[in-house]
Amino acid sequence: MSKSPIRNPFENALLKTDRIRLSLFTEDKTDLLFNHMFASIPNDGEIRQLMRAKFEKSLAEDSSLLFLIYNEDDDFIGYIELKDLNDIPEIGLDLAEKFRNKGYGYEVCKLLL
């Protein structure tokens, strides 16, 4: 299954609840996403380069989708990735520390499912 048929239903879809909104990841949001990812790791350029390369490779694959998560105040709070859509799907979720244990993760997964 190629990414285009997977992405198409989500291109203009409004995925939201009272507390969250999901936005399909686009390349213009790369810096926002990487700033979030790098916030919790040491400032080691080599590690960050390796992570960025690995992540960019996964974004280019045809078997995954990534959504940015925004809260009710329209603040970016994390991301969710649907992986291995050609095989046994997996969900990867990462929320900023201050938004964990508040039900956002459950709400995001329930919305996507």
Side-chain angles (χ1 to χ4, degrees), residues 57-113:
K57 181 181 176 192
S58 76
L59 289 176
E61 293 175 353
D62 287 341
S63 62
S64 67
L65 282 174
L66 187 110
F67 295 89
L68 303 181
I69 307 166
Y70 296 88
N71 70 3
E72 61 271 21
D73 296 324
D74 213 30
D75 297 324
F76 171 74
I77 65 170
Y79 70 94
I80 186 165
E81 183 178 11
L82 303 176
K83 304 183 238 182
D84 299 325
L85 298 174
N86 293 329
D87 192 22
I88 299 172
E90 297 177 31
I91 295 177
L93 174 70
D94 185 30
L95 295 172
E97 185 76 33
K98 69 181 185 178
F99 297 101
R100 294 178 186 165
N101 300 314
K102 298 182 192 274
Y104 286 108
Y106 171 79
E107 201 167 327
V108 167
C109 291
K110 185 176 177 185
L111 178 62
L112 277 179
L113 294 175

Side-chain angles (χ1 to χ4, degrees), residues 4-73:
S4 292
I6 293 171
R7 287 180 64 100
N8 286 345
F10 298 106
E11 292 286 355
N12 297 311
L14 186 59
L15 297 172
K16 70 178 214 162
T17 68
D18 290 340
R19 295 191 329 142
I20 57 163
R21 175 178 60 86
L22 301 183
S23 175
L24 194 59
F25 175 77
T26 54
E27 288 187 28
D28 61 319
K29 302 280 197 288
T30 300
D31 288 337
L32 174 70
L33 182 61
F34 285 126
N35 288 339
H36 167 78
M37 291 173 65
F38 295 152
S40 63
I41 64 167
N43 191 7
D44 180 329
E46 186 176 336
I47 292 173
R48 289 182 178 200
Q49 285 179 328
L50 289 171
M51 284 182 64
R52 188 175 185 124
K54 181 180 178 186
F55 197 75
E56 286 175 341
K57 181 181 176 192
S58 76
L59 289 176
E61 293 175 353
D62 287 341
S63 62
S64 67
L65 282 174
L66 187 110
F67 295 89
L68 303 181
I69 307 166
Y70 296 88
N71 70 3
E72 61 271 21
D73 296 324

